[in-house]
Amino acid sequence: MRFISFALLASSLFVHASDELSDLLLQKGISFATASNDEYPNITSPYNLRFDIQPAVVTVPRNSLQVSEVVKIGAQLNYNIVARSGGHSYIANGLGGKNGSIVVDLREFKEVQVNSDNGTACVGTGNRLGDIALGLGASGRAIPHGTCPYVGIGGHASYGGYGFTSRMWGLTLDHIASLEVVLGNGSIVTASHDQHPDLFWAMRGAGGSFGITTSIELRTEPVPSSGLVFTYQWTLNITNAVQALNEFQTFCQSDIPPEFGPMLFFFPGAPKGSVLFGLTGGWYGDTQNLNSTLDPFLNKMPTPTNVIFQNGTFVESLQYPGDGFIFNLNTTLAPDTNDTFYAKSIMTPANQTVPKSAWEGLMSYLANDGNETSLSWAVEIEVYGGSNSAINAVPLDDTAFAHRGSLFTFQLYVSSPNGKTPYPQEAFDFTDGLANSITSNSPPDWNYGTYPNYIDDRLPDWQQRYYGPHYKQLQAIKTAVDPSNIFDFPTSIELSQ
């Protein structure tokens, strides 16, 4: 009998339904893996090994019609259904986020086709970002997206999509012209400004809760003539690091050009009481103007201990995530990697600057507690705002993405020792302490948000932090298009009460 390994996790009815599920999938000619298949452990391995999720079945449909059949079968048998594009959900939502869901693995949806007449591209949601960069780049086109080539476009575009070009071009979801979506009743619809506009609005910010996107029509940009990724590094004590952060915040609030995409990063410093303070990012204008752009900040800083410039074509620059690393954009040439980690995020409002007390709290925590722990940790501060930001130029209510007024996005990322399981309680405590070092030293009315692509399974007020004033509208649309809550997973949009 299939799913015998689930006997301890489910009732006999569940086991019986699993057999019926398998039979119906076989009748429709849909490829799938269950717990009785040899490939099941590999196909259900999460990106974040902190999770051990057991889906009822992982389906691998070949086209939208087969996705529709999977959804109809799942709805008939009362299963929850989730889509998996690249599988990089921080909390394994692409595997259901909990046991017993049907996974629709979109790996067969690999189309990347550019329309030379209008510059749009049709992209299958089984593509990783590296594949898309190469496919679009071959036609001299590009979109804004993140730096990790293995991230799937489906989730990335559903909840944001930030990268070094985002201040110049916006988020990935800002470039969506239309989507092909399979709804909970199995119907296949096109969502755009003109067709199913409420669904189109919701899919750009909270897509996984409403349907399965099989392809995306994207408005692309002509590639810049060149791309340069820069990295500066300093080892600073707490006082100097706080001063540097204040200077950087002032710098980002000045007239910085859109082709400038900066980010700060922090790692353990040596000796104790110091941090490795890094500035990295992308530059997509005339290379002769980079120095004059950076000088107002660099002139306030000591001489860096390390400087790296990685210059080349725009597509070549996408191989460089900063700090001297080099990625291969062709994701078929090397396997993806796993980690065991917990992450939190904080998106700071541009109209409420981060107070000096918060910088002091964070730097003190990193320089002292961060140097005593055996955990691996990194902190990023991504620049969303500043003058000329294409992210914040989009009106708040144009999409479901709720953070158009942010200056910075903090990502607080903590791995277990050597990235191995199990994930210790000490690591949760350390990550919570990181976040608290910022929020507890900020005004009580500080209206910060959190970034849904850095999804957090321990965030108590996630509805407000991720979706802000848009949550009730998202609930209404969810109730209208998925009244049976087929697409249910941890942190999915809830039905209206």
Side-chain angles (χ1 to χ4, degrees):
M1 179 182 291
R2 296 186 190 275
F3 298 102
I4 191 67
S5 63
F6 289 137
L8 297 178
L9 301 174
S11 68
S12 59
L13 176 62
F14 177 81
V15 176
H16 176 74
S18 298
D19 283 338
E20 187 177 2
L21 172 60
S22 299
D23 291 341
L24 290 171
L25 292 171
L26 285 169
Q27 290 173 23
K28 296 296 182 179
I30 298 167
S31 299
F32 65 92
T34 69
S36 63
N37 300 125
D38 291 341
E39 63 269 29
Y40 181 85
N42 181 57
I43 204 171
T44 58
S45 176
Y47 170 63
N48 186 354
L49 298 177
R50 181 162 67 86
F51 295 88
D52 180 16
I53 306 295
Q54 302 287 308
V57 63
V58 178
T59 64
V60 188
R62 298 187 301 274
N63 52 51
S64 299
L65 290 174
Q66 286 200 338
V67 174
S68 173
E69 292 296 341
V70 173
V71 171
K72 290 176 183 177
I73 291 168
Q76 175 187 336
L77 300 178
N78 296 314
Y79 283 90
N80 291 132
I81 303 171
V82 295
R84 180 169 66 172
S85 176
H88 271 241
S89 167
Y90 281 15
I91 63 173
N93 276 344
L95 291 170
K98 57 188 178 183
N99 293 330
S101 296
I102 293 176
V103 175
V104 177
D105 190 302
L106 296 161
R107 65 182 62 197
E108 297 294 326
F109 292 73
K110 300 288 283 185
E111 176 187 20
V112 178
Q113 186 173 355
V114 177
N115 184 329
S116 58
D117 292 333
N118 62 12
T120 62
C122 184
V123 172
T125 46
N127 282 292
R128 310 292 184 104
L129 299 184
D131 306 319
I132 291 172
L134 292 174
L136 296 183
S139 297
R141 311 298 295 186
I143 59 170
H145 58 70
T147 57
C148 177
Y150 289 96
V151 169
I153 186 65
H156 194 64
S158 291
Y159 298 99
Y162 170 86
F164 288 160
T165 59
S166 287
R167 291 193 67 260
M168 178 170 65
W169 289 340
L171 301 171
T172 307
L173 63 78
D174 294 327
H175 282 249
I176 298 175
S178 67
L179 307 108
E180 183 180 79
V181 184
V182 180
L183 299 179
N185 61 6
S187 61
I188 303 171
V189 303
T190 297
S192 68
H193 284 295
D194 300 321
Q195 303 178 70
H196 302 280
D198 285 349
L199 176 65
F200 184 57
W201 179 86
M203 295 294 293
R204 293 172 298 146
S209 296
F210 301 91
I212 296 178
T213 301
T214 53
S215 67
I216 308 173
E217 181 190 14
L218 292 161
R219 292 183 294 270
T220 67
E221 305 282 349
V223 299
S225 58
S226 64
L228 188 155
V229 175
F230 55 88
T231 301
Y232 295 81
Q233 295 176 345
W234 299 264
T235 297
L236 301 178
N237 62 29
I238 296 171
T239 300
N240 291 340
V242 170
Q243 181 179 347
L245 283 165
N246 273 325
E247 296 289 356
F248 185 73
Q249 181 165 233
T250 300
F251 167 68
C252 289
Q253 292 168 326
S254 66
D255 187 24
I256 56 176
E259 58 267 28
F260 178 60
M263 180 178 76
L264 297 180
F265 62 88
F266 302 89
F267 293 109
K272 181 183 177 181
S274 63
V275 294
L276 177 61
F277 185 114
L279 166 65
T280 192
W283 174 261
Y284 304 99
D286 187 333
T287 55
Q288 296 183 5
N289 295 332
L290 175 59
N291 285 341
S292 60
T293 297
L294 280 170
D295 279 349
F297 175 67
L298 294 179
N299 289 342
K300 303 290 181 65
M301 296 290 289
T303 301
T305 56
N306 194 23
V307 178
I308 304 169
F309 287 90
Q310 295 164 305
N311 197 8
T313 67
F314 174 77
V315 174
E316 288 172 342
S317 76
L318 300 178
Q319 300 176 89
Y320 308 132
D323 199 24
F325 290 108
I326 300 177
F327 281 144
N328 195 320
L329 298 178
N330 186 338
T331 62
T332 67
L333 297 181
D336 199 357
T337 56
N338 303 97
D339 194 8
T340 306
F341 67 95
Y342 176 52
K344 301 184 78 68
S345 66
I346 296 171
M347 303 186 76
T348 72
N351 62 355
Q352 293 178 283
T353 58
V354 181
K356 183 179 179 182
S357 56
W359 295 135
E360 290 172 339
L362 175 63
M363 290 300 102
S364 177
Y365 193 88
L366 294 182
N368 294 312
D369 300 65
N371 274 296
E372 292 177 348
T373 182
S374 62
L375 303 166
S376 298
W377 58 264
V379 172
E380 294 178 356
I381 303 180
E382 302 160 352
V383 180
Y384 274 56
S387 60
N388 306 304
S389 168
I391 300 173
N392 291 347
V394 177
L396 173 63
D397 294 332
D398 273 16
T399 70
F401 185 78
H403 306 293
R404 295 296 180 180
S406 297
L407 178 59
F408 298 135
T409 293
F410 291 70
Q411 180 177 199
L412 317 172
Y413 187 104
V414 179
S415 299
S416 61
N418 302 313
K420 303 297 184 182
T421 57
Y423 196 73
Q425 181 60 44
E426 170 200 359
F428 289 116
D429 296 340
F430 180 81
T431 314
D432 291 340
L434 266 178
N436 291 337
S437 73
I438 302 166
T439 58
S440 66
N441 289 293
S442 300
D445 63 344
W446 202 45
N447 187 28
Y448 68 90
T450 52
Y451 182 43
N453 266 336
Y454 301 153
I455 197 78
D456 177 356
D457 60 319
R458 298 172 67 249
L459 187 64
D461 53 350
W462 59 269
Q463 297 92 337
Q464 173 63 29
R465 296 298 181 193
Y466 290 135
Y467 301 110
H470 292 156
Y471 193 70
K472 287 187 177 180
Q473 186 176 353
L474 287 167
Q475 283 186 286
I477 298 170
K478 170 74 169 179
T479 303
V481 302
D482 184 23
S484 298
N485 202 21
I486 298 296
F487 304 110
D488 176 65
F489 51 87
T491 69
S492 63
I493 301 300
E494 300 154 314
L495 296 175
S496 297
Q497 298 298 317

